[in-house]
Amino acid sequence: MAAAGRRGGHYIQKNSRFLFSNLEQLWGHRSFGWTPALQQQAAESHQESTETIVIPRKKTWSKEAVLEALAATVSRDPTAYPYQFQDDPYLSPKTSTEFKLYSLSQESGRAAAKYFVNSNPKFFTKDFAEPHIPCLMPETVLPLLDEVSEEALKERISLRKVAAAVDMYDQLLQAGTAVSMETSHDLLDLICFFGDKNPVQDGEPQTEDSEESGEEVKRRKGRGRRAADLLRSTWRENNNAERIFNLLPEKDERCYSALIRGMVKHGAHMKAFSIYTDLLNNRLTADVHTFNALFSAAPEVRDTYKERWDLMTELLTQMNQQKVQPNLLTFNNLLKGLKRCGPMGKTLALHTLNEMRALGITPSLASYNHILGVFFKSASAGQSNVDILQEMMSELAGSSFTCQDPEDVLFFCSAMKICLDSKDLELGYKIQSLVEVGENWRMLGDSFYHSIYYGRFFNLLCMMEHIDVVWKWYRKLIPSLYYPNPQGVKDLLRALDTDSRLDLLPIVWKDIKSLGHDNKPDLVEELLSLMDREKHSPEIQDSFATCALDIKSTYEGNRTRLGLEWSASSLSHITSLLLRANKTQEAWKMMQLFKENNRVPFDKLMEDFLSACRSDGSPQRAVEVVQLSAAFCLRATPRLAQQTLAEFDLTEEQRAILSELESAAEPAE
């Protein structure tokens, strides 16, 4: 039988190709009822599809394409710390202060390492990385060419050595060597950008200018010196930029542009307009960057609203005459100037926005931020212009943004402030939804603006939203996105109090400790007062008592910390919470702390103690309570003595003690 099976299998295998060939021919001849016209159409379509097959070219992907695809598959972990701290879990920040300290420490470490590598390139000659990573190798920071030549001047310009470049330029002029116009342009750009000073290198302290222009001194006259004044570079009179500009045999538009932009950048606004007048007198035309700088300086050189707008209108007319096409920064600087034009700026801002769209220029977030600044400048006076922001959000909904202006990062903070002032929760949700689109979160700015935005959003939630939703956002934002300050925690406590969810207070206390706010007496006492204000179920009272003991250990373990001292209210709240949880022994220990810290308990606390003694059936402890009340000279002492005499089964000795305390306290009362 096995032999027959083998012969059958051999026969099927031998004739399988013949069978499949006949089946394919039979399938091809079957028409399934098709007409000849349909068969011809199918054949033509088959032939056409065969002819239109085109092999696609090789797709070139970016180096980060795989990482971006993987990143898109996961969402943000709300319980994780920011990614920049995940390499070292020990340095995971728990407070905004630690976040700033650790992030600056990381940046300082990178800068120190880079400074060491660049200063000692001979120790870092081997390249182990494959592929080559240029940023890990030493950079050329010292000039290699020592001879007096234009190439040496170009080298110093590329290394941003301002003083060395100026010195080399002077040596070339003394040697009678002509410097090309292109190199002169680059030198002027360098000097004007850095304000005739060498840029601060990593690891070097930033010093204050000892000389200031007369215009800057006049502008600052009448107000105190601010911290920003210590770091801002100023335009010095007759500096190297002006000297080299005057030495040039020929001055073209780029020379004037570099000088004007440098003067505006470093605060010499009047001199910038003077140089611009010289440019016009020499029948030259300015470029769009020069006009952008002049627009930003226009509000600084005029005093009244009308004069400022007239000057900006004149600049627009000159741009049109010189056939200079405005760009986004042109209109943004114009809108920024309108914020200082008073009530007339509202109408002009909308006209400016329409003009932008007519020229095909899409407004950036900075454009909308300036418009908000124009309309909400006098919001404190009671004017409501929330409809403007509503229209903006309807237009921007679902959009993704990239940074096109340095002030783009201010929009979301300004918009959320308007929502908070107007208590418009729905509009606040729209703004938050826009932040969550794509990578719009990058437009929140640095950690400072980031904290301001989420602080305002969380404050709005605590005021207007139900506590369940507030708690959901609280868990979503902290600690991955937001480190609340003490005021933010107080807002949460008030929201819990409003919706009667005080059972969550022990969880909030744990977060207060992790956030480093457990040394704020007003915050801790507000938490204690909420827990002690009314009675709850035994389970909640037990959790409150455990929390109170934890707060007590915080006080005792941090006696050296500034700002955390026992007060009568904090001692009373903790003692009362322990009594409600039937932790009489721990509560009695708290009474000893009143004596040690020279604090006087409240009358109500002594009454609660007496009630606890009545529940426990402890007459001796009740007598001690009355004695303690007399020691603190409380007015409730006679009343406590009377209650103890009436409600407890006392010995003659105890009655004598209470009668003496009662009679001794009555005259004092």
Side-chain angles (χ1 to χ4, degrees):
M1 186 170 182
R6 283 196 299 270
R7 284 196 299 272
H10 178 70
Y11 177 81
I12 293 174
Q13 182 180 7
K14 181 178 179 181
N15 295 281
S16 60
R17 293 183 58 85
F18 174 79
L19 291 173
F20 282 123
S21 177
N22 290 337
L23 285 173
E24 288 177 357
Q25 292 179 4
L26 179 62
W27 185 272
H29 289 298
R30 294 290 300 271
S31 61
F32 293 98
W34 284 13
T35 62
L38 289 176
Q39 292 180 4
Q40 182 179 1
Q41 183 178 358
E44 291 177 355
S45 63
H46 176 72
Q47 182 179 2
E48 181 180 356
S49 63
T50 305
E51 293 175 354
T52 57
I53 293 178
V54 178
I55 299 177
R57 295 182 179 180
K58 182 180 179 181
K59 173 70 174 178
T60 303
W61 298 95
S62 65
K63 297 180 180 180
E64 299 84 10
V66 176
L67 292 176
E68 291 174 354
L70 291 175
T73 62
V74 295
S75 59
R76 181 182 58 83
D77 183 3
T79 63
Y81 293 98
Y83 178 76
Q84 65 187 105
F85 302 109
Q86 292 183 6
D87 292 338
D88 192 348
Y90 180 75
L91 296 179
S92 298
K94 298 179 178 63
T95 66
S96 58
T97 303
E98 289 184 356
F99 178 89
K100 183 177 181 180
L101 177 63
Y102 293 166
S103 58
L104 291 179
S105 299
Q106 277 191 343
E107 208 54 42
S108 176
R110 293 191 186 99
K114 187 176 181 180
Y115 177 79
F116 184 83
V117 170
N118 293 336
S119 301
N120 303 273
K122 59 183 178 180
F123 299 125
F124 303 93
T125 56
K126 294 184 179 180
D127 186 8
F128 297 98
E130 289 197 14
H132 174 67
I133 305 176
C135 64
L136 298 182
M137 300 303 294
E139 298 178 2
T140 303
V141 295
L142 297 176
L144 302 178
L145 302 177
D146 295 330
E147 71 275 4
V148 179
S149 63
E150 186 171 343
E151 292 299 324
L153 175 59
K154 291 180 179 179
E155 181 188 40
R156 283 153 178 77
I157 293 174
S158 64
L159 294 176
R160 300 189 300 177
K161 302 291 184 181
V162 178
V166 171
D167 183 61
M168 180 61 66
Y169 181 82
D170 291 337
Q171 293 182 34
L172 288 173
L173 292 185
Q174 292 174 4
T177 304
V179 180
S180 65
M181 202 63 179
E182 182 179 357
T183 306
S184 300
H185 290 160
D186 295 339
L187 178 61
L188 268 179
D189 289 339
L190 178 70
I191 300 173
C192 293
F193 184 81
F194 291 107
D196 196 15
K197 295 189 309 180
N198 283 325
V200 178
Q201 301 293 332
D202 296 332
E204 295 182 1
Q206 190 166 6
T207 59
E208 178 188 356
D209 287 342
S210 58
E211 300 181 17
E212 294 181 351
S213 65
E215 178 187 347
E216 179 67 17
V217 174
K218 182 179 179 181
R219 187 176 66 84
R220 276 214 347 258
K221 188 176 181 181
R223 66 170 174 85
R225 197 173 184 82
R226 297 180 300 185
D229 296 331
L230 301 176
L231 302 177
R232 184 177 58 245
S233 175
T234 56
W235 188 267
R236 293 183 289 110
E237 295 285 348
N238 300 319
N239 59 10
N240 286 316
E242 295 184 29
R243 181 177 64 84
I244 293 175
F245 177 80
N246 294 326
L247 290 175
L248 291 176
E250 295 182 3
K251 304 178 183 65
D252 58 3
E253 292 87 348
R254 184 173 172 184
C255 298
Y256 281 99
S257 176
L259 198 61
I260 292 172
R261 295 166 68 185
M263 289 177 174
V264 172
K265 175 178 170 59
H266 299 287
H269 305 109
M270 290 297 297
K271 296 194 70 173
F273 275 93
S274 177
I275 297 297
Y276 175 66
T277 303
D278 293 341
L279 178 144
L280 296 179
N281 292 336
N282 291 324
R283 297 185 177 182
L284 297 175
T285 59
D287 59 4
V288 65
H289 306 293
T290 305
F291 278 107
N292 292 348
L294 293 174
F295 276 116
S296 64
E300 304 292 341
V301 298
R302 295 293 185 269
D303 295 329
T304 65
Y305 298 152
K306 188 175 185 306
E307 289 176 350
R308 291 169 182 170
W309 174 244
D310 290 341
L311 179 56
M312 290 188 285
T313 304
E314 183 181 352
L315 290 174
L316 288 172
T317 303
Q318 292 173 0
M319 285 187 71
N320 188 29
Q321 292 174 352
Q322 299 177 28
K323 297 182 179 179
V324 177
Q325 188 71 15
N327 58 14
L328 175 64
L329 294 180
T330 306
F331 287 101
N332 283 354
N333 289 339
L334 183 61
L335 290 170
K336 185 177 181 180
L338 289 176
K339 291 194 293 186
R340 301 179 60 181
C341 290
M344 62 184 300
K346 294 184 177 181
T347 304
L348 298 174
L350 296 180
H351 289 330
T352 304
L353 187 63
N354 293 333
E355 187 68 19
M356 290 179 67
R357 291 166 175 164
L359 293 176
I361 299 176
T362 304
S364 68
L365 290 180
S367 310
Y368 294 109
N369 180 62
H370 295 321
I371 294 175
L372 291 179
V374 170
F375 278 86
F376 291 90
K377 186 81 172 178
S378 57
S380 58
Q383 299 182 9
S384 177
N385 296 289
V386 183
D387 293 341
I388 296 294
L389 184 55
Q390 290 278 10
E391 294 178 7
M392 287 183 184
M393 298 312 301
S394 299
E395 181 178 345
L396 299 177
S399 302
S400 183
F401 304 100
T402 56
C403 190
Q404 304 177 68
D405 188 296
E407 297 193 15
D408 281 348
V409 297
L410 303 178
F411 170 76
F412 286 114
C413 283
S414 301
M416 191 56 70
K417 183 179 185 301
I418 294 170
C419 296
L420 182 60
D421 293 340
S422 59
K423 296 180 175 57
D424 194 331
L425 181 61
E426 182 181 356
L427 188 57
Y429 277 132
K430 290 182 180 179
I431 296 173
Q432 176 61 22
S433 299
L434 185 61
V435 171
E436 295 175 352
V437 174
E439 294 190 348
N440 288 347
W441 59 270
R442 298 183 183 274
M443 309 305 294
L444 292 176
D446 58 15
S447 59
F448 176 73
Y449 291 112
H450 197 274
S451 178
I452 290 178
Y453 170 81
Y454 279 111
R456 289 170 177 171
F457 178 56
F458 187 68
N459 189 3
L460 179 64
L461 290 173
C462 291
M463 284 195 304
M464 307 300 297
E465 189 58 273
H466 189 268
I467 186 58
D468 292 336
V469 181
V470 174
W471 191 255
K472 178 182 177 182
W473 278 103
Y474 177 74
R475 284 305 174 200
K476 181 178 180 181
L477 298 178
I478 299 170
S480 59
L481 293 177
Y482 173 51
Y483 299 100
N485 55 15
Q487 184 58 45
V489 180
K490 287 182 181 179
D491 294 336
L492 177 62
L493 294 179
R494 288 163 191 156
L496 293 171
D497 185 20
T498 302
D499 289 341
S500 301
R501 287 301 307 273
L502 300 182
D503 58 298
L504 298 174
L505 290 177
I507 301 176
V508 176
W509 165 246
K510 293 180 181 179
D511 293 338
I512 290 175
K513 289 183 62 178
S514 66
L515 292 169
H517 299 325
D518 54 343
N519 62 339
K520 307 296 189 299
D522 53 341
L523 180 61
V524 177
E525 290 188 12
E526 184 170 350
L527 178 73
L528 287 171
S529 65
L530 288 176
M531 290 192 294
D532 184 35
R533 191 177 60 190
E534 56 189 18
K535 294 183 179 180
H536 300 273
S537 63
E539 295 80 8
I540 296 178
Q541 290 297 160
D542 288 339
S543 65
F544 282 178
T546 304
C547 180
L549 290 174
D550 193 14
I551 294 176
K552 175 190 173 185
S553 64
T554 301
Y555 272 92
E556 294 175 344
N558 296 278
R559 293 179 178 176
T560 59
R561 296 177 66 179
L562 297 177
L564 195 63
E565 295 181 356
W566 282 115
S567 64
S569 59
S570 59
L571 287 168
S572 298
H573 291 320
I574 293 177
T575 306
S576 178
L577 290 170
L578 294 175
L579 287 174
R580 290 178 185 174
N582 298 323
K583 297 181 183 294
T584 310
Q585 191 65 29
E586 288 83 355
W588 190 254
K589 293 179 182 178
M590 291 296 302
M591 296 303 298
Q592 308 307 316
L593 293 177
F594 281 94
K595 294 182 179 180
E596 296 176 5
N597 294 275
N598 297 321
R599 299 291 186 263
V600 179
F602 301 144
D603 293 346
K604 184 178 182 303
L605 179 62
M606 307 308 293
E607 294 175 358
D608 292 341
F609 245 111
L610 197 61
S611 299
C613 295
R614 188 185 308 111
S615 300
D616 296 340
S618 176
Q620 180 58 34
R621 184 60 59 85
V623 174
E624 292 176 0
V625 169
V626 178
Q627 290 176 329
L628 191 59
S629 176
F632 285 118
C633 300
L634 297 180
R635 293 184 178 182
T637 302
R639 185 174 69 255
L640 295 175
Q642 293 175 3
Q643 291 180 2
T644 306
L645 288 170
E647 299 175 0
F648 287 87
D649 186 11
L650 304 173
T651 63
E652 291 298 329
E653 181 181 359
Q654 292 171 340
R655 287 183 177 277
I657 294 174
L658 291 177
S659 299
E660 182 180 355
L661 291 175
E662 182 182 5
S663 60
E666 284 178 353
E669 186 178 358

mmCIF file of all heavy atoms in Angstrom, residues 37 54 66 123 173 184 222 261 317 352 355 418 515 546 617 630:
data_model
loop_
_atom_site.group_PDB
_atom_site.id
_atom_site.type_symbol
_atom_site.label_atom_id
_atom_site.label_comp_id
_atom_site.label_asym_id
_atom_site.label_seq_id
_atom_site.Cartn_x
_atom_site.Cartn_y
_atom_site.Cartn_z
ATOM 1 N N ALA A 37 -16.874 43.889 -26.615
ATOM 2 C CA ALA A 37 -16.479 45.282 -26.339
ATOM 3 C C ALA A 37 -15.850 45.397 -24.957
ATOM 4 O O ALA A 37 -14.838 46.080 -24.764
ATOM 5 C CB ALA A 37 -17.698 46.193 -26.439
ATOM 6 N N VAL A 54 5.789 53.427 -13.486
ATOM 7 C CA VAL A 54 7.046 54.172 -13.410
ATOM 8 C C VAL A 54 7.723 53.820 -12.099
ATOM 9 O O VAL A 54 7.113 53.903 -11.029
ATOM 10 C CB VAL A 54 6.803 55.700 -13.484
ATOM 11 C CG1 VAL A 54 8.118 56.450 -13.352
ATOM 12 C CG2 VAL A 54 6.090 56.060 -14.774
ATOM 13 N N VAL A 66 13.638 58.537 11.301
ATOM 14 C CA VAL A 66 13.274 57.357 12.088
ATOM 15 C C VAL A 66 12.953 57.755 13.526
ATOM 16 O O VAL A 66 11.976 57.297 14.126
ATOM 17 C CB VAL A 66 14.406 56.321 12.047
ATOM 18 C CG1 VAL A 66 14.077 55.126 12.938
ATOM 19 C CG2 VAL A 66 14.643 55.852 10.618
ATOM 20 N N PHE A 123 45.237 68.430 23.347
ATOM 21 C CA PHE A 123 44.867 67.236 24.101
ATOM 22 C C PHE A 123 43.683 66.489 23.483
ATOM 23 O O PHE A 123 43.302 65.434 23.993
ATOM 24 C CB PHE A 123 44.518 67.606 25.538
ATOM 25 C CG PHE A 123 45.651 68.242 26.298
ATOM 26 C CD1 PHE A 123 45.486 69.473 26.906
ATOM 27 C CD2 PHE A 123 46.888 67.621 26.380
ATOM 28 C CE1 PHE A 123 46.516 70.069 27.600
ATOM 29 C CE2 PHE A 123 47.934 68.207 27.067
ATOM 30 C CZ PHE A 123 47.758 69.440 27.679
ATOM 31 N N LEU A 173 45.912 100.025 7.198
ATOM 32 C CA LEU A 173 45.845 101.411 6.723
ATOM 33 C C LEU A 173 47.179 102.119 6.896
ATOM 34 O O LEU A 173 47.607 102.896 6.021
ATOM 35 C CB LEU A 173 44.747 102.167 7.482
ATOM 36 C CG LEU A 173 43.301 101.744 7.223
ATOM 37 C CD1 LEU A 173 42.337 102.673 7.956
ATOM 38 C CD2 LEU A 173 42.979 101.738 5.724
ATOM 39 N N SER A 184 35.547 95.325 4.424
ATOM 40 C CA SER A 184 35.131 96.473 5.243
ATOM 41 C C SER A 184 33.695 96.312 5.719
ATOM 42 O O SER A 184 33.356 96.657 6.860
ATOM 43 C CB SER A 184 35.286 97.767 4.445
ATOM 44 O OG SER A 184 36.630 97.968 4.049
ATOM 45 N N GLY A 222 16.121 110.099 35.775
ATOM 46 C CA GLY A 222 14.826 110.211 36.432
ATOM 47 C C GLY A 222 14.259 108.895 36.895
ATOM 48 O O GLY A 222 13.210 108.858 37.508
ATOM 49 N N ARG A 261 21.816 100.024 12.098
ATOM 50 C CA ARG A 261 21.307 98.897 12.870
ATOM 51 C C ARG A 261 22.069 98.720 14.175
ATOM 52 O O ARG A 261 21.497 98.358 15.210
ATOM 53 C CB ARG A 261 21.375 97.632 12.023
ATOM 54 C CG ARG A 261 20.451 97.680 10.817
ATOM 55 C CD ARG A 261 20.765 96.585 9.811
ATOM 56 N NE ARG A 261 20.447 95.268 10.316
ATOM 57 C CZ ARG A 261 20.729 94.144 9.667
ATOM 58 N NH1 ARG A 261 21.328 94.204 8.468
ATOM 59 N NH2 ARG A 261 20.402 92.978 10.178
ATOM 60 N N THR A 317 6.221 105.827 3.680
ATOM 61 C CA THR A 317 6.217 106.546 2.401
ATOM 62 C C THR A 317 7.574 106.443 1.731
ATOM 63 O O THR A 317 7.676 106.232 0.507
ATOM 64 C CB THR A 317 5.842 108.012 2.638
ATOM 65 O OG1 THR A 317 4.576 108.078 3.290
ATOM 66 C CG2 THR A 317 5.765 108.767 1.321
ATOM 67 N N THR A 352 -3.180 97.958 9.674
ATOM 68 C CA THR A 352 -1.867 97.361 9.408
ATOM 69 C C THR A 352 -1.992 95.865 9.151
ATOM 70 O O THR A 352 -1.338 95.315 8.251
ATOM 71 C CB THR A 352 -0.930 97.617 10.597
ATOM 72 O OG1 THR A 352 -0.846 99.027 10.847
ATOM 73 C CG2 THR A 352 0.458 97.079 10.322
ATOM 74 N N GLU A 355 -3.288 95.320 5.732
ATOM 75 C CA GLU A 355 -2.252 95.605 4.737
ATOM 76 C C GLU A 355 -1.281 94.441 4.602
ATOM 77 O O GLU A 355 -0.831 94.106 3.509
ATOM 78 C CB GLU A 355 -1.497 96.877 5.136
ATOM 79 C CG GLU A 355 -0.502 97.375 4.104
ATOM 80 C CD GLU A 355 -1.165 97.886 2.834
ATOM 81 O OE1 GLU A 355 -2.376 98.199 2.870
ATOM 82 O OE2 GLU A 355 -0.466 97.954 1.800
ATOM 83 N N ILE A 418 -5.122 87.504 29.438
ATOM 84 C CA ILE A 418 -6.415 88.105 29.112
ATOM 85 C C ILE A 418 -7.553 87.179 29.542
ATOM 86 O O ILE A 418 -8.566 87.628 30.094
ATOM 87 C CB ILE A 418 -6.480 88.409 27.606
ATOM 88 C CG1 ILE A 418 -5.457 89.494 27.246
ATOM 89 C CG2 ILE A 418 -7.874 88.841 27.187
ATOM 90 C CD1 ILE A 418 -5.275 89.704 25.766
ATOM 91 N N LEU A 515 7.583 69.654 46.333
ATOM 92 C CA LEU A 515 7.832 70.902 45.620
ATOM 93 C C LEU A 515 8.680 71.878 46.426
ATOM 94 O O LEU A 515 9.025 72.954 45.925
ATOM 95 C CB LEU A 515 6.504 71.577 45.258
ATOM 96 C CG LEU A 515 5.649 70.860 44.212
ATOM 97 C CD1 LEU A 515 4.268 71.487 44.151
ATOM 98 C CD2 LEU A 515 6.314 70.889 42.847
ATOM 99 N N THR A 546 -2.667 61.557 60.364
ATOM 100 C CA THR A 546 -1.370 61.116 59.841
ATOM 101 C C THR A 546 -0.640 62.263 59.156
ATOM 102 O O THR A 546 0.570 62.441 59.311
ATOM 103 C CB THR A 546 -1.583 59.957 58.856
ATOM 104 O OG1 THR A 546 -2.303 58.901 59.503
ATOM 105 C CG2 THR A 546 -0.249 59.441 58.354
ATOM 106 N N GLY A 617 -13.085 58.721 79.634
ATOM 107 C CA GLY A 617 -13.323 58.445 81.054
ATOM 108 C C GLY A 617 -12.083 58.620 81.890
ATOM 109 O O GLY A 617 -11.782 57.771 82.746
ATOM 110 N N ALA A 630 -5.100 76.960 83.473
ATOM 111 C CA ALA A 630 -4.773 77.981 84.468
ATOM 112 C C ALA A 630 -3.337 78.462 84.316
ATOM 113 O O ALA A 630 -3.044 79.648 84.526
ATOM 114 C CB ALA A 630 -5.008 77.423 85.873
#
